[in-house]
Amino acid sequence: MADNARAKKLADLIREVVAEKLQRGIKDPRLGTHVTITDTRVTGDLREATVFYTVYGDDEERASAAAGLESAKGILRSAVGAAAGTKFTPTLTFVADALPETAKTIEDLLDKARASDAAVREASSGATYAGGADPYRKPEDEDEEGTTA
Protein backbone atom coordinates (compact mmCIF):
# COMPACT_ATOMS: atom_id res chain seq x y z
CA MET A 1 0.00 0.00 0.00
CA ALA A 2 1.49 3.32 -1.06
CA ASP A 3 1.25 6.45 1.01
CA ASN A 4 -1.06 9.30 0.02
CA ALA A 5 1.80 11.61 -0.99
CA ARG A 6 3.07 9.08 -3.52
CA ALA A 7 -0.43 8.54 -4.93
CA LYS A 8 -0.94 12.31 -5.21
CA LYS A 9 2.40 12.74 -6.95
CA LEU A 10 1.59 9.95 -9.41
CA ALA A 11 -1.87 11.44 -10.04
CA ASP A 12 -0.33 14.82 -10.85
CA LEU A 13 2.18 13.18 -13.18
CA ILE A 14 -0.56 11.24 -14.96
CA ARG A 15 -2.61 14.41 -15.42
CA GLU A 16 0.34 16.28 -16.92
CA VAL A 17 1.44 13.42 -19.19
CA VAL A 18 -2.06 12.71 -20.49
CA ALA A 19 -2.76 16.40 -21.13
CA GLU A 20 0.56 16.86 -22.93
CA LYS A 21 0.07 13.72 -25.00
CA LEU A 22 -3.47 14.74 -25.97
CA GLN A 23 -2.26 18.17 -27.01
CA ARG A 24 0.82 17.15 -28.99
CA GLY A 25 1.10 13.40 -29.44
CA ILE A 26 -2.24 12.05 -30.61
CA LYS A 27 -3.49 12.92 -34.06
CA ASP A 28 -7.09 11.78 -33.50
CA PRO A 29 -9.42 14.51 -34.81
CA ARG A 30 -12.06 13.51 -32.27
CA LEU A 31 -9.85 14.71 -29.44
CA GLY A 32 -8.45 17.92 -30.85
CA THR A 33 -7.99 20.89 -28.56
CA HIS A 34 -11.44 20.87 -26.99
CA VAL A 35 -10.66 18.11 -24.42
CA THR A 36 -9.42 19.36 -21.05
CA ILE A 37 -8.08 17.12 -18.30
CA THR A 38 -9.53 18.46 -15.04
CA ASP A 39 -8.45 15.97 -12.38
CA THR A 40 -6.79 12.61 -11.84
CA ARG A 41 -7.20 10.22 -8.92
CA VAL A 42 -5.12 7.14 -8.21
CA THR A 43 -6.11 4.28 -5.93
CA GLY A 44 -4.05 3.61 -2.81
CA ASP A 45 -2.32 0.59 -4.37
CA LEU A 46 -1.34 2.66 -7.47
CA ARG A 47 -3.01 0.11 -9.78
CA GLU A 48 -5.88 2.18 -11.20
CA ALA A 49 -6.14 5.81 -12.21
CA THR A 50 -9.30 7.72 -12.98
CA VAL A 51 -8.84 10.66 -15.33
CA PHE A 52 -11.60 13.27 -15.33
CA TYR A 53 -12.04 15.37 -18.45
CA THR A 54 -14.36 17.98 -19.91
CA VAL A 55 -15.22 18.59 -23.53
CA TYR A 56 -16.12 21.96 -24.94
CA GLY A 57 -19.02 21.40 -27.29
CA ASP A 58 -22.34 19.65 -27.66
CA ASP A 59 -23.37 16.08 -26.81
CA GLU A 60 -22.14 14.73 -30.15
CA GLU A 61 -18.65 16.13 -29.58
CA ARG A 62 -18.65 14.72 -26.02
CA ALA A 63 -19.54 11.25 -27.32
CA SER A 64 -16.88 11.36 -30.04
CA ALA A 65 -14.26 12.58 -27.54
CA ALA A 66 -15.16 9.71 -25.19
CA ALA A 67 -14.72 7.24 -28.05
CA GLY A 68 -11.40 8.88 -28.99
CA LEU A 69 -10.10 8.63 -25.44
CA GLU A 70 -11.08 4.96 -25.23
CA SER A 71 -9.24 4.22 -28.48
CA ALA A 72 -6.14 6.15 -27.33
CA LYS A 73 -6.09 4.56 -23.87
CA GLY A 74 -3.18 2.22 -24.70
CA ILE A 75 -0.99 4.96 -26.13
CA LEU A 76 -1.69 7.19 -23.14
CA ARG A 77 -0.94 4.39 -20.68
CA SER A 78 2.37 3.71 -22.45
CA ALA A 79 3.29 7.38 -22.19
CA VAL A 80 2.41 7.39 -18.50
CA GLY A 81 4.51 4.27 -17.94
CA ALA A 82 7.52 5.80 -19.67
CA ALA A 83 7.24 9.00 -17.64
CA ALA A 84 6.47 7.41 -14.28
CA GLY A 85 9.12 4.71 -14.24
CA THR A 86 7.10 2.59 -11.81
CA LYS A 87 7.01 -1.19 -11.63
CA PHE A 88 3.36 -1.28 -12.66
CA THR A 89 1.69 1.33 -14.85
CA PRO A 90 -1.82 2.09 -13.60
CA THR A 91 -4.77 1.31 -15.83
CA LEU A 92 -6.50 4.45 -17.03
CA THR A 93 -10.23 5.03 -16.82
CA PHE A 94 -11.66 8.15 -18.42
CA VAL A 95 -14.71 9.75 -16.81
CA ALA A 96 -16.52 12.80 -18.13
CA ASP A 97 -16.39 15.45 -15.43
CA ALA A 98 -19.74 16.85 -14.34
CA LEU A 99 -18.17 20.23 -13.57
CA PRO A 100 -19.78 22.25 -16.40
CA GLU A 101 -23.28 20.91 -15.67
CA THR A 102 -22.84 21.50 -11.95
CA ALA A 103 -21.59 25.03 -12.56
CA LYS A 104 -24.56 25.75 -14.82
CA THR A 105 -26.99 24.43 -12.19
CA ILE A 106 -25.39 26.58 -9.50
CA GLU A 107 -25.45 29.62 -11.76
CA ASP A 108 -29.17 29.05 -12.49
CA LEU A 109 -29.90 28.80 -8.76
CA LEU A 110 -27.95 31.99 -8.08
CA ASP A 111 -29.89 33.81 -10.83
CA LYS A 112 -33.15 32.63 -9.27
CA ALA A 113 -32.01 33.88 -5.84
CA ARG A 114 -30.99 37.25 -7.30
CA ALA A 115 -34.41 37.61 -8.94
CA SER A 116 -36.13 36.72 -5.64
CA ASP A 117 -34.00 39.25 -3.75
CA ALA A 118 -34.82 41.90 -6.33
CA ALA A 119 -38.55 41.17 -5.96
CA VAL A 120 -38.33 41.48 -2.16
CA ARG A 121 -36.33 44.69 -2.48
CA GLU A 122 -38.92 46.07 -4.93
CA ALA A 123 -41.82 45.16 -2.62
CA SER A 124 -40.18 46.71 0.43
CA SER A 125 -39.00 49.93 -1.23
CA GLY A 126 -42.05 52.03 -0.20
CA ALA A 127 -42.87 50.19 3.02
CA THR A 128 -42.94 51.78 6.46
CA TYR A 129 -42.61 50.29 9.92
CA ALA A 130 -45.83 48.90 11.40
CA GLY A 131 -45.21 50.15 14.96
CA GLY A 132 -42.77 52.95 14.33
CA ALA A 133 -39.04 52.75 13.84
CA ASP A 134 -38.49 51.30 17.34
CA PRO A 135 -41.60 49.37 18.49
CA TYR A 136 -40.21 48.37 21.91
CA ARG A 137 -41.24 50.14 25.12
CA LYS A 138 -38.60 51.78 27.21
CA PRO A 139 -38.80 52.76 30.90
CA GLU A 140 -38.72 56.51 30.12
CA ASP A 141 -41.73 56.13 27.78
CA GLU A 142 -43.78 54.57 30.59
CA ASP A 143 -42.95 57.44 32.99
CA GLU A 144 -44.20 60.05 30.51
CA GLU A 145 -47.55 58.28 30.13
CA GLY A 146 -48.01 58.19 33.87
CA THR A 147 -48.17 54.45 34.19
CA THR A 148 -45.84 52.36 36.21
CA ALA A 149 -44.83 48.88 35.61
Side-chain angles (χ1 to χ4, degrees):
M1 190 81 169
D3 59 271
N4 288 336
R6 187 170 177 199
K8 175 76 170 123
K9 188 183 286 189
L10 183 61
D12 290 342
L13 178 72
I14 290 171
R15 186 181 70 240
E16 291 173 10
V17 168
V18 169
E20 182 71 25
K21 193 73 172 168
L22 285 176
Q23 187 177 23
R24 295 204 173 107
I26 296 181
K27 303 293 187 220
D28 193 343
R30 297 176 290 184
L31 299 175
T33 59
H34 55 276
V35 176
T36 303
I37 304 299
T38 56
D39 192 20
T40 306
R41 295 187 185 142
V42 178
T43 58
D45 61 357
L46 306 179
R47 294 283 184 164
E48 297 176 16
T50 305
V51 180
F52 295 93
Y53 68 94
T54 59
V55 178
Y56 182 74
D58 58 0
D59 290 335
E60 182 181 323
E61 289 176 348
R62 288 186 189 112
S64 67
L69 286 170
E70 282 300 315
S71 69
K73 187 184 288 190
I75 297 168
L76 294 171
R77 186 172 180 218
S78 297
V80 167
T86 57
K87 183 177 181 180
F88 181 81
T89 303
T91 58
L92 300 178
T93 304
F94 292 97
V95 176
D97 199 353
L99 184 71
E101 291 83 16
T102 305
K104 183 175 179 354
T105 303
I106 290 172
E107 192 62 38
D108 291 343
L109 290 172
L110 287 173
D111 287 341
K112 189 184 291 186
R114 285 186 198 107
S116 175
D117 287 349
V120 169
R121 197 175 306 114
E122 179 73 27
S124 67
S125 64
T128 59
Y129 293 106
D134 189 12
Y136 300 104
R137 292 187 189 187
K138 296 184 177 63
E140 57 268 3
D141 292 340
E142 293 175 0
D143 292 338
E144 291 173 4
E145 294 174 2
T147 60
T148 59

